[in-house]
Amino acid sequence: MKQISINQCGVLIVMCIFANKILLLPSLMYEKTSADSIFVLITLFLLDFIMLPILIKLKSLYPEQKFYDILKDKLGSLVTKIIYITLLIFFFFKCLLVFSITYVYFKQQIYQDEFIFMALISFFPVINHAVFCGLRSFSRTMELFFGIVIAGFIFCLVISLFTPISSPLFFMSSAKEFFTSMHNHIFAFGDFIFLFLAMDRLDFKKGKVKSLYFYTLFAMFLVVLLFFLFYAKYQMTAFMHNNALADLLVFSVQFNAIGRLDIIAMLTIMIITLFQMEIFSYAFCDCFMSIFPLNKIYSVAVFDVLFLILYYVFIGKYEIMVKSSLLWLPYLSIFINYILPIITLIIIIIDIRQHGNRPVKIKSHLKEKNIKEKV
């Protein structure tokens, strides 16, 4: 089975951490907790961070097993399918939210009009091709573009220092507002869940696992810094600016003789969005093939059809998608982000008590060899 390296896994972590946090989220969080949203962000990051050692320990106990097989062995087939259906819904709406937010950004900044057909025919062939090629192929592509993405991200942060900024006002929100904001925005988190699905394809070499913590803390630091600079730039009007990374360049789009600088933000956001949609669509297809005995072609077709139907019929409006992420999707995220890792931790504790730290073998009746393992 083709596996991905520690560095490629770290790149996937960074892309997942950036997902749904660098454009609209700072504005949404500011409405409830103003600049204290930075502390909400850090708290949610800390809760997410706990998933990483759980993943690493689970991988050490089950170095070659799929997450689906582990759950099936411990919880039974029915419970495992319910969990995977929940994961399928979770990743589908993650992808839909990423697309909706980025589409509105480009519509406002470039086209000034609807260009949904152009967006779909530009994004979907690339995303579908990434799913067909598999995790190793598109993670290597992300690794190649990683330096460009990080350079563009840091460039936007640095240029904002050349515009008027001042320290944000902290400790202005109540405890109730703080925890309400945490609940409302947890759908934007759950950044390590994808790696649980792909754990059998991760090559965790001894001595290099620590680098995953570096990638994680580095990405979280960049997002926290983005929030701080955004609130320092727009102390009273942050709720009006829905594209945080790009809006940092407002009032500085022309810099000496270089010309417009906002193109850097546009390219960075476009590449990040494309990679995030590849990750989430791959996760959807992986869940689909674990639940149903169908191959990759059917999973991709189902994803595309569902995406088009829901986007046009049910939640085609940007406002409806955003409200969904604040109203009912947080309840889905509570299970995915917190309850599922707790279940996994309990499985780890039980296995350590029974087998020590030695790798655990799954029962033979869980060996399912079919085309879906070639994802």
Side-chain angles (χ1 to χ4, degrees):
M1 182 181 295
K2 295 182 179 180
Q3 294 185 316
I4 64 173
S5 66
I6 289 287
N7 289 335
Q8 291 165 351
C9 181
V11 173
L12 291 173
I13 289 174
V14 173
M15 294 302 166
C16 290
I17 289 175
F18 285 168
N20 296 316
K21 300 182 187 70
I22 63 175
L23 286 177
L24 181 62
L25 187 64
S27 174
L28 289 178
M29 294 180 72
Y30 188 88
E31 295 181 11
K32 180 67 68 174
T33 49
S34 60
D36 293 332
S37 300
I38 295 176
F39 302 124
V40 178
L41 175 72
I42 293 173
T43 303
L44 289 169
F45 270 152
L46 290 175
L47 293 174
D48 267 7
F49 188 80
I50 298 173
M51 296 187 204
L52 186 55
I54 294 176
L55 170 70
I56 293 172
K57 189 60 182 178
L58 187 68
K59 175 66 176 180
S60 68
L61 291 176
Y62 299 92
E64 297 180 358
Q65 299 296 333
K66 291 175 64 68
F67 188 54
Y68 181 87
D69 292 339
I70 298 171
L71 294 179
K72 186 176 179 181
D73 182 60
K74 304 300 180 181
L75 304 177
S77 179
L78 178 60
V79 174
T80 302
K81 287 185 182 294
I82 293 174
I83 291 174
Y84 261 65
I85 290 172
T86 308
L87 286 167
L88 182 145
I89 297 172
F90 177 79
F91 284 112
F92 180 81
F93 279 96
K94 278 266 193 180
C95 191
L96 198 57
L97 182 62
V98 168
F99 179 83
S100 299
I101 292 173
T102 308
Y103 171 75
V104 170
Y105 163 69
F106 279 106
K107 185 175 71 172
Q108 293 173 347
Q109 298 296 320
I110 302 176
Y111 292 93
Q112 305 295 323
D113 200 359
E114 294 289 344
F115 69 106
I116 184 64
F117 181 74
M118 183 183 299
L120 292 175
I121 63 175
S122 299
F123 271 75
F124 270 80
V126 178
I127 296 169
N128 293 342
H129 180 265
V131 175
F132 278 116
C133 289
L135 181 63
R136 187 181 182 185
S137 295
F138 72 73
S139 61
R140 290 178 65 182
T141 304
M142 293 182 192
E143 188 179 23
L144 291 174
F145 282 88
F146 182 68
I148 297 175
V149 169
I150 296 301
F153 196 104
I154 294 176
F155 177 84
C156 295
L157 299 182
V158 171
I159 291 298
S160 69
L161 299 176
F162 292 91
T163 62
I165 59 174
S166 56
S167 179
L169 300 176
F170 294 113
F171 308 109
M172 302 294 289
S173 57
S174 65
K176 180 180 179 181
E177 292 172 333
F178 183 91
F179 289 107
T180 300
S181 181
M182 282 184 59
H183 172 267
N184 290 344
H185 300 291
I186 61 173
F187 182 69
F189 295 81
D191 303 317
F192 299 96
I193 293 298
F194 169 76
L195 297 180
F196 281 85
L197 300 182
M199 59 175 287
D200 58 311
R201 279 146 281 183
L202 305 180
D203 184 13
F204 281 6
K205 295 181 179 179
K206 293 182 179 180
K208 293 187 177 182
V209 176
K210 292 182 179 178
S211 62
L212 293 181
Y213 291 101
F214 169 77
Y215 279 103
T216 300
L217 294 175
F218 176 67
M220 290 179 175
F221 170 76
L222 288 181
V223 176
V224 171
L225 185 59
L226 167 65
F227 270 63
F228 178 83
L229 293 175
F230 179 73
Y231 294 147
K233 186 179 180 70
Y234 302 106
Q235 290 197 12
M236 305 302 296
T237 61
F239 66 94
M240 300 172 58
H241 299 270
N242 296 333
N243 306 303
L245 184 64
D247 288 337
L248 287 178
L249 299 181
V250 174
F251 309 129
S252 60
V253 293
Q254 290 190 351
F255 192 78
N256 293 335
I258 299 177
R260 292 179 61 87
L261 296 179
D262 51 349
I263 186 64
I264 304 296
M266 294 178 188
L267 291 174
T268 302
I269 292 169
M270 181 179 65
I271 296 173
I272 291 175
T273 300
L274 188 62
F275 288 157
Q276 289 167 353
M277 291 186 67
E278 289 179 355
I279 292 172
F280 296 145
S281 62
Y282 176 88
F284 174 94
C285 293
D286 185 82
C287 291
F288 184 88
M289 289 185 292
S290 297
I291 298 168
F292 305 102
L294 298 172
N295 61 26
K296 198 181 301 183
I297 296 176
Y298 290 100
S299 65
V300 171
V302 169
F303 174 83
D304 291 350
V305 172
L306 282 178
F307 192 99
L308 293 174
I309 291 175
L310 287 178
Y311 191 86
Y312 278 106
V313 178
F314 180 52
I315 49 178
K317 291 186 177 180
Y318 170 75
E319 295 81 4
I320 298 177
M321 186 64 239
V322 173
K323 287 182 179 179
S324 298
S325 70
L326 301 176
L327 295 177
W328 67 271
L329 285 174
Y331 294 100
L332 176 67
S333 301
I334 289 174
F335 175 79
I336 298 297
N337 296 1
Y338 307 122
I339 297 178
L340 183 57
I342 290 174
I343 293 173
T344 304
L345 181 60
I346 293 173
I347 292 174
I348 291 172
I349 294 173
I350 293 174
D351 283 337
I352 290 177
R353 288 183 176 180
Q354 293 179 347
H355 308 281
N357 288 316
R358 299 187 303 274
V360 181
K361 294 183 179 180
I362 296 295
K363 297 177 182 179
S364 59
H365 72 275
L366 293 177
K367 294 180 179 179
E368 299 175 0
K369 301 292 185 179
N370 54 46
I371 194 171
K372 67 185 180 184
E373 291 187 351
K374 298 180 181 179
V375 178

